[in-house]
Amino acid sequence: MDEQILFQEKQYLGRDWTWISVRLILALFCFVAYYINWEHVVSQQLFFIVGVGILLVSIIMLYMVSYRTTVTKTQCYFKWSMDNEFSENRLKLYQAYRKEEILQFLF
């Protein structure tokens, strides 16, 4: 990628507010069940371990990059990190308008 990068965006795996709230509600359920369950020590410990595990996985997922989009003058790169190797798909950008034509619309 010798070209100048015009735009770069990173989408993270765990930063969707809907799924963050689902994971936090599941962890909260585990901690409430841990607090209420006084008779069965084994299941009480299991609820605590699962609740802590949900929180740890949620924190790790906040920093995992799901895919990265990079736009240069002539190409657009989509890189997914879900594959075994960091794959890369390229799309050619069609330059339908020249720079002068775009500036004409802006000014």
Side-chain angles (χ1 to χ4, degrees):
M1 244 172 32
D2 305 289
E3 301 179 27
Q4 180 183 6
I5 296 174
L6 300 175
F7 175 74
Q8 187 172 19
E9 177 185 17
K10 297 177 185 176
Q11 293 289 326
Y12 293 91
L13 187 63
R15 291 193 183 176
D16 184 22
W17 286 106
T18 306
W19 293 111
I20 288 175
S21 61
V22 168
R23 289 190 304 265
L24 288 178
I25 288 172
L26 283 173
L28 182 66
F29 169 76
C30 288
F31 290 130
V32 168
Y34 164 75
Y35 180 74
I36 291 174
N37 196 0
W38 288 104
E39 291 105 22
H40 303 286
V41 176
V42 176
S43 62
Q44 181 185 19
Q45 292 173 349
L46 183 64
F47 279 124
F48 182 75
I49 291 171
V50 170
V52 169
I54 290 172
L55 289 179
L56 289 176
V57 168
S58 183
I59 290 171
I60 290 170
M61 284 176 60
L62 287 175
Y63 296 102
M64 288 178 61
V65 176
S66 178
Y67 65 89
R68 182 177 297 142
T69 305
T70 305
V71 177
T72 63
K73 190 172 183 178
T74 58
Q75 292 181 342
C76 182
Y77 301 94
F78 294 105
K79 296 180 182 179
W80 285 274
S81 62
M82 296 300 166
D83 297 334
N84 289 339
E85 44 187 67
F86 205 70
S87 66
E88 179 177 325
N89 295 328
R90 296 181 185 193
L91 298 176
K92 295 280 185 182
L93 295 178
Y94 295 102
Q95 295 180 347
Y97 295 104
R98 296 179 189 258
K99 189 176 182 179
E100 296 83 22
E101 294 172 354
I102 295 173
L103 289 176
Q104 179 183 2
F105 289 111
L106 295 177
F107 298 108

PDB file of all heavy atoms in Angstrom, residues 10 22-23 90 107:
ATOM      1  N   LYS A  10     -11.987   1.377  11.775  1.00  0.00           N
ATOM      2  CA  LYS A  10     -11.896   0.075  12.433  1.00  0.00           C
ATOM      3  C   LYS A  10     -13.226  -0.203  13.124  1.00  0.00           C
ATOM      4  O   LYS A  10     -13.740   0.647  13.836  1.00  0.00           O
ATOM      5  CB  LYS A  10     -10.784   0.063  13.472  1.00  0.00           C
ATOM      6  CG  LYS A  10      -9.411   0.267  12.916  1.00  0.00           C
ATOM      7  CD  LYS A  10      -8.403   0.313  14.033  1.00  0.00           C
ATOM      8  CE  LYS A  10      -7.019   0.627  13.514  1.00  0.00           C
ATOM      9  NZ  LYS A  10      -6.061   0.773  14.605  1.00  0.00           N
ATOM     10  N   VAL A  22     -26.806  -7.020  26.685  1.00  0.00           N
ATOM     11  CA  VAL A  22     -27.173  -8.428  26.864  1.00  0.00           C
ATOM     12  C   VAL A  22     -26.137  -9.140  27.723  1.00  0.00           C
ATOM     13  O   VAL A  22     -26.483  -9.888  28.652  1.00  0.00           O
ATOM     14  CB  VAL A  22     -27.325  -9.126  25.493  1.00  0.00           C
ATOM     15  CG1 VAL A  22     -27.402 -10.628  25.649  1.00  0.00           C
ATOM     16  CG2 VAL A  22     -28.552  -8.607  24.766  1.00  0.00           C
ATOM     17  N   ARG A  23     -24.856  -8.908  27.452  1.00  0.00           N
ATOM     18  CA  ARG A  23     -23.808  -9.555  28.245  1.00  0.00           C
ATOM     19  C   ARG A  23     -23.830  -9.073  29.692  1.00  0.00           C
ATOM     20  O   ARG A  23     -23.620  -9.859  30.626  1.00  0.00           O
ATOM     21  CB  ARG A  23     -22.440  -9.303  27.610  1.00  0.00           C
ATOM     22  CG  ARG A  23     -22.243 -10.052  26.309  1.00  0.00           C
ATOM     23  CD  ARG A  23     -20.825  -9.989  25.833  1.00  0.00           C
ATOM     24  NE  ARG A  23     -20.302  -8.654  25.675  1.00  0.00           N
ATOM     25  CZ  ARG A  23     -20.279  -7.968  24.535  1.00  0.00           C
ATOM     26  NH1 ARG A  23     -20.751  -8.502  23.434  1.00  0.00           N
ATOM     27  NH2 ARG A  23     -19.761  -6.759  24.484  1.00  0.00           N
ATOM     28  N   ARG A  90     -10.004  -6.376  -2.089  1.00  0.00           N
ATOM     29  CA  ARG A  90      -9.834  -5.038  -2.646  1.00  0.00           C
ATOM     30  C   ARG A  90     -10.960  -4.741  -3.624  1.00  0.00           C
ATOM     31  O   ARG A  90     -11.361  -5.576  -4.408  1.00  0.00           O
ATOM     32  CB  ARG A  90      -8.516  -4.924  -3.382  1.00  0.00           C
ATOM     33  CG  ARG A  90      -7.326  -5.098  -2.495  1.00  0.00           C
ATOM     34  CD  ARG A  90      -6.071  -4.947  -3.275  1.00  0.00           C
ATOM     35  NE  ARG A  90      -4.942  -5.227  -2.406  1.00  0.00           N
ATOM     36  CZ  ARG A  90      -3.709  -4.943  -2.723  1.00  0.00           C
ATOM     37  NH1 ARG A  90      -3.423  -4.403  -3.861  1.00  0.00           N
ATOM     38  NH2 ARG A  90      -2.741  -5.222  -1.881  1.00  0.00           N
ATOM     39  N   PHE A 107     -18.396  24.714  -4.141  1.00  0.00           N
ATOM     40  CA  PHE A 107     -18.264  26.169  -4.063  1.00  0.00           C
ATOM     41  C   PHE A 107     -19.146  26.860  -5.064  1.00  0.00           C
ATOM     42  O   PHE A 107     -19.330  26.611  -6.138  1.00  0.00           O
ATOM     43  CB  PHE A 107     -16.818  26.598  -4.268  1.00  0.00           C
ATOM     44  CG  PHE A 107     -15.912  26.045  -3.196  1.00  0.00           C
ATOM     45  CD1 PHE A 107     -15.004  25.020  -3.479  1.00  0.00           C
ATOM     46  CD2 PHE A 107     -15.969  26.516  -1.913  1.00  0.00           C
ATOM     47  CE1 PHE A 107     -14.171  24.521  -2.508  1.00  0.00           C
ATOM     48  CE2 PHE A 107     -15.144  26.021  -0.942  1.00  0.00           C
ATOM     49  CZ  PHE A 107     -14.237  25.017  -1.228  1.00  0.00           C
TER      50      PHE A 107
END
